[in-house]
Amino acid sequence: KKSTKKKVLSIVGKVAIVLLETVLLLAFAAGCSRKPVMDYSYVSLDRIKGWTGNTPVELEFDMVDTIGASELYIAGEIATKRTLDKKRGYPINITLVAPNGTGYTDTLLLPLHVKEDGAVSSTSHGIKEVVWPYRKNIYNKIPGRWKMIITKGDTTVDYTNIIGLGVHCKQNRI
């Protein structure tokens, strides 16, 4: 009886370990595959190397309302495990391309030190998610699918902490 009881306990222990390993593996996979910022056109960059080289980030969004005002938001994921203390932010260049091919350019600084209130910024597992209001009260005359091209604004700044960028168009219906 003792031998059979030991075998059963051994089998139950092995099954429990396999189940625990499976649950942990699934939790890890789900955490790694999540889309960082919901309802955004979003590009995930290399989680280890960040935004390297001179490759622009190209995003697309719909702005179809020609009556009500729209708002544009830029979202980013910043790796906080690397030092951010001395950085004020990231200068970027933006080119907006309308559905008819008309282009608009802008330059701005994405500030790093923003209030963490859940709506603007939150930090989890060494990743800071930030949503920057870009433009409000946009009265769009060219409806359709727009493109936003983001390039680095300063060749002397290290952008490797940026591991994702996105854009969201909020259309305020009348």
Side-chain angles (χ1 to χ4, degrees):
K1 287 184 177 181
K2 286 187 178 183
S3 173
T4 306
K5 192 174 183 179
K6 281 185 180 180
K7 286 181 184 177
V8 168
L9 289 175
S10 175
I11 291 171
V12 169
K14 288 178 183 176
V15 169
I17 290 172
V18 169
L19 286 173
L20 180 61
E21 289 173 343
T22 303
V23 167
L24 291 174
L25 182 62
L26 289 173
F28 177 75
C32 292
S33 65
R34 71 181 179 84
K35 186 174 179 181
V37 183
M38 297 302 158
D39 298 326
Y40 279 72
S41 169
Y42 196 85
V43 172
S44 290
L45 302 166
D46 189 299
R47 292 240 200 279
I48 304 299
K49 296 178 185 174
W51 191 11
T52 59
N54 293 320
T55 304
V57 174
E58 295 190 19
L59 307 161
E60 292 186 353
F61 60 95
D62 291 316
M63 191 165 22
V64 295
D65 191 351
T66 57
I67 297 172
S70 297
E71 301 172 359
L72 286 178
Y73 295 87
I74 297 173
E77 283 191 306
I78 313 294
T80 60
K81 291 180 181 177
R82 304 170 199 147
T83 180
L84 299 176
D85 295 336
K86 298 185 187 214
K87 291 185 180 173
R88 285 186 36 233
Y90 295 100
I92 62 169
N93 301 315
I94 292 178
T95 301
L96 289 168
V97 181
N100 67 2
T102 305
Y104 308 90
T105 59
D106 201 358
T107 303
L108 63 139
L109 180 75
L110 299 178
L112 276 177
H113 304 288
V114 294
K115 185 173 124 182
E116 291 198 28
D117 65 2
V120 177
S121 172
S122 64
T123 303
S124 176
H125 304 290
I127 305 296
K128 182 174 193 163
E129 292 183 358
V130 186
V131 176
W132 296 278
Y134 171 53
R135 291 277 183 243
K136 293 188 177 192
N137 295 318
I138 301 168
Y139 288 92
N140 179 34
K141 301 291 184 222
I142 309 169
R145 191 113 177 117
W146 286 66
K147 184 184 287 188
M148 177 182 277
I149 303 165
I150 303 174
T151 58
K152 297 174 183 176
D154 186 341
T155 58
T156 64
V157 173
D158 178 12
Y159 290 81
T160 59
N161 289 339
I162 297 177
I163 58 174
L165 286 170
V167 63
H168 172 68
C169 179
K170 179 181 174 189
Q171 300 183 55
N172 301 317
R173 306 271 186 232
I174 292 179

